[in-house]
Amino acid sequence: MNLYDSAKAQFADWGVDTEAAIDALKTIPISMHCWQGDDVVGFETSTGTSGGGIQATGNHPGRARTPDELRADLEFAYANIPGSHRLNLHAIYMDTDETPDRDEIEFRHFAPWVDWAAQTGVALDFNPTFFAHAKADDNLTLAHPDKGIRDFWIEHGRRCRDIAAQMGAAQGSPCLNNIWVPDGFKDTPIDRMAARARLQESLDQMLAPQQDRAMMRDAVESKLFGIGVEACTVGSHEFYFGYAIRKGTLLCLDMGHFHPTENIADKLSACALSLDELLLHVSRPMRWDSDHVILLNDDIQAMANELVSGDLLGRTHIGLDFFDATISRTAAWVIGTRNMQKALLRSLLLPLDRLRAAETALDFTTRFVVTEEFKDMPFGAIWDEFCRRMDVPTGQNLIRDLDSYQGKVAARG
């Protein structure tokens, strides 16, 4: 009996079907973020300060400098991640010889990405870029007191929605268009209400043009604070939660955008009672929104458990959001994405019917004992079998592949 068959039998003793768990995991796409590959630089010719607390630290060799290099890195990463996944693309990653400003971008400026996505079978998601621009240097965009600046960013947002809708039409499935703005104040503001009223009005104008939800869906993303906006973030969780409910958008929950003591997994079921769909940006904050590569840790496992036990996988889109320039960027993609998948697999392998029955009966002893005993189950053997069937490496073979690719790109300037 091989390791998988032995593990399969152990899970079967608890009433868990490992084949069903593997089949379920195959169907869960994760939207991998393009900005890990180049430290959130993008391919525009002119930029402003990053703003909003966005900062990639480190100078590990191998940063992608062109769209072709970034796509090559992505192809390598996808080849080492089991399953079929998506790409989350920011507006600053246009691929064109033209030099449009943010309020001038069009679908054609992203056509090479759409062609690549069709060739590789990777569906696209999209994000307007409200940072790294001279008109965002005040850390105010849609909430800026200057109407001209607000109008500039409203137009950018509208164009991004058009681009996302055309991406969705090209790929035959909805492109998620996630809206995050860095707007806030370094020191305590006098009138938060005025800023939030401006943000609400700008969003209303930006979202006013009707789009086909079968092709494009909007999401709004909150934040607690960032460097330069320590005292007040205009688009707080409460602001966007209410806005998403009123307007019918998705709500994006970024794991780095809350207070360090908040349990983000706990928010899923609470928000899902008021919203049809959710978007996750899975990250790992360390003391603040530092966007470390995710580990297979308690926070990630709690998120996966909530998605599975709450039957939320069909209503929640899973995206990643981390960027670390101190390590191999492709290795960060591969290990981070696989860690999210490992957490989901562990959740899919729990004896949920038994645990739910115990909890309903107020038998918290059984719930406690079973969850603790399951920490010793041979999850690794099931993961290895999943990777084998998906024809991707594990263990030492994976490390060799990651090291080999890093060696090929290390000479990039």
Side-chain angles (χ1 to χ4, degrees):
M1 181 180 291
N2 61 31
L3 287 177
Y4 173 69
D5 289 336
S6 175
K8 180 180 179 180
Q10 291 181 63
F11 279 100
D13 286 342
W14 291 85
V16 175
D17 184 348
T18 59
E19 291 294 324
I22 288 175
D23 288 342
L25 188 59
K26 290 178 184 177
T27 68
I28 304 173
I30 295 173
S31 193
M32 206 167 71
H33 53 308
C34 71
W35 49 94
Q36 163 60 36
D38 82 325
D39 309 337
V40 207
V41 175
F43 302 123
E44 288 182 325
T45 56
S46 61
T47 61
T49 57
S50 59
I54 296 171
Q55 182 178 358
T57 56
N59 191 30
H60 196 80
R63 183 182 72 82
R65 302 160 299 182
T66 67
D68 286 338
E69 288 182 349
L70 184 57
R71 285 190 284 264
D73 292 350
L74 285 162
E75 288 175 19
F76 167 77
Y78 286 125
N80 285 276
I81 300 168
S84 298
H85 301 288
R86 304 174 69 91
L87 176 67
N88 200 6
L89 193 66
H90 243 286
I92 56 173
Y93 289 84
M94 68 182 78
D95 185 358
T96 176
D97 292 331
E98 300 177 46
T99 57
D101 206 345
R102 300 272 178 88
D103 63 342
E104 300 169 327
I105 59 173
E106 297 182 11
F107 177 71
R108 71 175 188 273
H109 300 134
F110 299 88
W113 283 106
V114 176
D115 293 341
W116 172 83
Q119 293 165 7
T120 58
V122 174
L124 297 174
D125 294 315
F126 201 60
N127 306 258
T129 307
F130 290 93
F131 55 87
H133 190 281
K135 291 186 178 180
D137 282 351
D138 294 325
N139 278 334
L140 291 167
T141 60
L142 295 178
H144 203 288
D146 185 326
K147 184 178 183 299
I149 291 179
R150 293 201 305 276
D151 288 345
F152 174 88
W153 290 113
I154 289 168
E155 181 63 21
H156 173 64
R158 285 178 172 175
R159 286 174 176 261
C160 287
R161 295 182 72 232
D162 287 342
I163 292 165
Q166 292 179 75
M167 287 178 173
Q171 65 196 18
S173 65
C175 174
L176 298 187
N177 181 62
N178 185 54
I179 300 162
W180 174 80
V181 300
D183 294 35
F185 300 95
K186 184 174 182 63
D187 216 335
T188 306
I190 295 299
D191 194 350
R192 299 167 191 258
M193 180 65 80
R196 285 179 170 142
R198 290 193 296 268
L199 175 57
Q200 177 176 258
E201 181 182 1
S202 295
L203 287 168
D204 287 348
Q205 293 180 46
M206 194 173 80
L207 299 179
Q210 293 295 313
Q211 297 285 355
D212 184 354
R213 280 181 59 85
M215 298 296 102
M216 190 281 290
R217 295 177 192 169
D218 294 297
V220 289
E221 178 181 354
S222 67
K223 192 165 184 176
L224 179 64
F225 82 100
I227 296 174
V229 289
E230 292 87 351
C232 171
T233 296
V234 182
S236 64
H237 172 63
E238 294 78 9
F239 175 92
Y240 279 126
F241 190 20
Y243 193 87
I245 292 171
R246 293 195 308 277
K247 300 296 182 178
T249 70
L250 280 70
L251 179 68
C252 177
L253 298 173
D254 186 304
M255 293 182 69
H257 288 192
F258 294 88
H259 193 280
T261 61
E262 286 189 272
N263 181 354
I264 313 309
D266 183 53
K267 298 181 184 297
L268 283 171
S269 57
C271 294
L273 291 172
S274 299
L275 296 166
D276 293 332
E277 292 181 272
L278 296 166
L279 171 62
L280 280 180
H281 274 188
V282 185
S283 183
R284 178 168 57 102
M286 191 176 292
R287 297 187 172 87
W288 73 295
D289 181 33
S290 53
D291 292 305
H292 286 66
V293 183
I294 62 172
L295 305 176
L296 184 56
N297 61 10
D298 290 344
D299 291 340
I300 301 301
Q301 193 60 62
M303 187 70 75
N305 289 349
E306 188 77 4
L307 289 170
V308 174
S309 65
D311 195 23
L312 294 172
L313 284 170
R315 300 169 52 194
T316 305
H317 305 267
I318 304 173
L320 305 180
D321 186 1
F322 51 76
F323 35 94
D324 188 344
T326 69
I327 62 176
S328 164
R329 295 166 183 83
T330 48
W333 266 327
V334 171
I335 300 305
T337 309
R338 286 166 64 123
N339 279 342
M340 186 69 241
Q341 291 183 287
K342 287 180 180 180
L344 289 166
L345 180 61
R346 284 173 171 257
S347 300
L348 292 165
L349 290 168
L350 289 174
L352 287 177
D353 289 343
R354 182 172 182 177
L355 289 168
R356 287 194 186 102
E359 188 166 272
T360 301
L362 305 183
D363 182 2
F364 302 138
T365 301
T366 294
R367 184 186 65 184
F368 173 71
V369 171
V370 172
T371 53
E372 288 305 300
E373 284 297 300
F374 251 68
K375 292 178 180 178
D376 297 326
M377 292 293 284
F379 295 101
I382 313 302
W383 170 257
D384 286 348
E385 177 66 13
F386 175 59
C387 289
R388 186 192 67 78
R389 295 182 188 183
M390 296 289 98
D391 196 27
V392 300
T394 58
Q396 297 289 351
N397 290 331
L398 174 63
I399 293 173
R400 280 193 290 269
D401 285 357
L402 294 176
D403 287 346
S404 175
Y405 190 82
Q406 177 58 34
K408 295 175 182 177
V409 301
R412 292 175 182 169

